[in-house]
Amino acid sequence: MPRTARGDDAHSFPAPISVPTSASTRPRRGLTALVGTVGACAALAGAPALAASAAASDAVVHVATANELRTALAAAAPGQTIELADGTYVGNFKVTGRAGTASAPVVLRGSAAAVLRTSSGGGNVLHLTDADHWTVQGVTVQHAQKGIMVDSSDHVTIDAVTVHDLDMEGIHFRSSSAYGVVRGSTIHDTGQNLRGMGEGVYVGSANDYSDRSDHVQILDNTIGPLVRGENVDVKEGTTGGRIAGNTFVGDGLTGANYDDSWVDVKGNDYVVEDNVGTATTKSGFQTHQQSPGWGCGTVFRGNHADLTGATGGGRYAIEVTVHDPVTCPVTVTDDNTVVGGDGLVNPGVPVTAAGGGTPTPDPTDEPDPDPTSTPTPEPEHPEECVDTSLAAWSATTVYVGGDRVLLGGSLWQARWWTRGEAPSSAAWGPWQHVALC
């Protein structure tokens, strides 16, 4: 399946600037001596160079211990990069009120061998609060209640990190943290307390419509295995995000708190595209409506769902709980594909041609009759009605494609999975008339 394009250098780290870590070794002291020697005029002429040297010396802060990391986080400034040496950093690391800017973000980066973890397994490994324009890049986060928590912080990018071994969710955007990005990351083995709170990426807050964590993008990640909750859970109150190019593995789904799909969208106007999913207990991608006006406007296109092994009824690649073309539209295009299960989308939801072409007819909608056409006579094959195994249609029986029933003096054959829908001659219905009996 196609993937969202990203730069070739998305996972590369520029060579760090070598900076002395001790204030006594910084160039300011030597420059001061030079000023005293050559006089005030020379000092004034060299002032721009002095400012540039000072700025360069603060551009990269190298840390190698947990205490150095805490100090660097507490003093972080716009345009600064905090560079982690490989090693293990133990603690609950917090950033509060240290924002970057759009042109000068704060970057916390290291390789996957730079491991941040708690000592007790509790709390958050990394917690950003009021910290706009931060980028967290490359590191590993593990062994805690939650991995990375983002509160009241816009434009936070989490890039190429590894998150695992957690009691609850991996990455959480909360408290109106808008325009966040999770990309190129690996999240697995979450929800170890088995309470059904182990989502891979969690956006918003349950039943809190004031949490406007809008426009969050979840791109090109591998989420799973052993994510014991939805791989992505998007809460009511959030709007306008994008979930694209991800690989989902749902072998950790527990069924607690209704987790039975890779992606559950309860917010509005999301785009879910070009994702691939395997191993689920029921469906692939879902929308739900927690209250009127929410769970609407999602567009599903180019996704592939492998539902092999899913159990029970209602196993769809895309399961839409509320669809109204006027008040709560949902778009499902015909370039979504599915293997196994009961079909691409649940009955009643139309499938639209990709690229805005002619929509695929809704199988529950009977087309208007053509008043000028001459109906084709129904074939009559009475010999097909003498099969002693034929039974009358039942509203409670599940039928699959090829099953035959008797109703109203006729023999009918199911086109696909159906239950509770009486056989009729609707052109796009689940039943085909075979013979008059």
Side-chain angles (χ1 to χ4, degrees), residues 267-293:
N268 284 352
D269 301 326
Y270 278 77
V271 173
V272 181
E273 62 183 346
D274 299 334
N275 303 285
V276 174
T278 59
T280 181
T281 56
K282 184 185 179 188
S283 296
F285 307 91
Q286 295 178 336
T287 67
H288 281 101
Q289 187 170 93
Q290 296 299 99
S291 69

Side-chain angles (χ1 to χ4, degrees), residues 61 69-78 80 82 94-96 98 106 134:
V61 177
L69 176 56
R70 290 189 186 90
T71 299
L73 295 176
Q80 196 170 68
I82 301 170
K94 299 180 181 180
V95 178
T96 303
R98 306 300 297 185
V106 182
W134 271 68

Side-chain angles (χ1 to χ4, degrees), residues 17-36 46-60:
I17 301 170
S18 179
V19 180
T21 56
S22 170
S24 63
T25 63
R26 288 182 176 177
R28 292 185 179 85
R29 181 167 297 179
L31 285 170
T32 302
L34 178 62
V35 168
L50 176 63
S53 176
S57 69
D58 291 332
V60 176

Side-chain angles (χ1 to χ4, degrees), residues 190-208:
T190 61
Q192 291 181 339
N193 61 14
L194 301 180
R195 294 167 53 203
M197 299 181 182
E199 295 86 349
V201 180
Y202 193 105
V203 181
S205 301
N207 301 311
D208 182 357

Side-chain angles (χ1 to χ4, degrees), residues 87-145:
T88 300
Y89 300 78
V90 179
N92 301 98
F93 299 100
K94 299 180 181 180
V95 178
T96 303
R98 306 300 297 185
T101 67
S103 60
V106 182
V107 178
L108 172 66
R109 71 183 183 191
S111 78
V115 179
L116 281 62
R117 57 176 291 146
T118 69
S119 59
S120 65
N124 309 304
V125 179
L126 179 62
H127 192 171
L128 305 177
T129 304
D130 295 324
D132 295 352
H133 296 286
W134 271 68
T135 294
V136 180
Q137 191 174 59
V139 299
T140 294
V141 174
Q142 64 179 45
H143 190 59
Q145 184 181 67

Side-chain angles (χ1 to χ4, degrees), residues 12-354:
S12 65
F13 304 125
I17 301 170
S18 179
V19 180
T21 56
S22 170
S24 63
T25 63
R26 288 182 176 177
R28 292 185 179 85
R29 181 167 297 179
L31 285 170
T32 302
L34 178 62
V35 168
T37 303
V38 302
C41 291
L44 290 173
L50 176 63
S53 176
S57 69
D58 291 332
V60 176
V61 177
H62 296 273
V63 301
T65 69
N67 284 337
E68 289 177 355
L69 176 56
R70 290 189 186 90
T71 299
L73 295 176
Q80 196 170 68
T81 293
I82 301 170
E83 184 86 34
L84 279 70
D86 289 352
T88 300
Y89 300 78
V90 179
N92 301 98
F93 299 100
K94 299 180 181 180
V95 178
T96 303
R98 306 300 297 185
T101 67
S103 60
V106 182
V107 178
L108 172 66
R109 71 183 183 191
S111 78
V115 179
L116 281 62
R117 57 176 291 146
T118 69
S119 59
S120 65
N124 309 304
V125 179
L126 179 62
H127 192 171
L128 305 177
T129 304
D130 295 324
D132 295 352
H133 296 286
W134 271 68
T135 294
V136 180
Q137 191 174 59
V139 299
T140 294
V141 174
Q142 64 179 45
H143 190 59
Q145 184 181 67
K146 300 183 182 184
I148 301 175
M149 174 68 77
V150 182
D151 272 330
S152 304
S153 302
D154 294 344
H155 300 282
V156 171
T157 297
I158 300 171
D159 181 27
V161 302
T162 302
V163 180
H164 66 95
D165 185 25
L166 304 169
D167 273 352
M168 296 176 69
E169 60 263 26
I171 298 171
H172 191 170
F173 291 88
R174 191 178 66 175
S175 304
S176 298
S177 296
Y179 297 98
V181 177
V182 182
R183 66 187 179 201
S185 297
T186 300
I187 303 168
H188 64 90
D189 203 4
T190 61
Q192 291 181 339
N193 61 14
L194 301 180
R195 294 167 53 203
M197 299 181 182
E199 295 86 349
V201 180
Y202 193 105
V203 181
S205 301
N207 301 311
D208 182 357
Y209 298 90
S210 66
D211 185 345
R212 301 306 305 270
S213 295
D214 297 339
H215 309 294
V216 171
Q217 298 191 71
I218 303 164
L219 312 173
D220 303 311
N221 305 285
T222 298
I223 305 180
L226 296 179
V227 171
R228 298 172 183 88
E230 293 92 350
N231 289 193
V232 176
D233 193 3
V234 174
K235 291 302 183 182
E236 55 277 7
T238 67
T239 299
R242 183 165 175 253
I243 303 166
N246 302 284
T247 298
F248 300 127
V249 182
D251 62 346
L253 291 166
T254 65
N257 301 315
Y258 306 100
D259 61 0
D260 54 7
S261 64
W262 307 307
V263 175
D264 196 345
V265 179
K266 305 178 188 74
N268 284 352
D269 301 326
Y270 278 77
V271 173
V272 181
E273 62 183 346
D274 299 334
N275 303 285
V276 174
T278 59
T280 181
T281 56
K282 184 185 179 188
S283 296
F285 307 91
Q286 295 178 336
T287 67
H288 281 101
Q289 187 170 93
Q290 296 299 99
S291 69
W294 289 100
C296 306
T298 299
V299 175
F300 295 97
R301 59 191 178 211
N303 302 288
H304 177 70
D306 186 343
L307 304 182
T308 303
T311 60
R315 299 165 297 157
Y316 297 101
I318 300 165
E319 183 180 359
V320 178
T321 55
V322 175
H323 166 71
D324 183 284
V326 176
T327 62
C328 191
V330 176
T331 300
V332 179
T333 60
D334 61 5
D335 57 353
N336 294 285
T337 57
V338 60
V339 173
D342 297 322
L344 179 62
V345 65
N346 47 299
V349 180
V351 177
T352 303

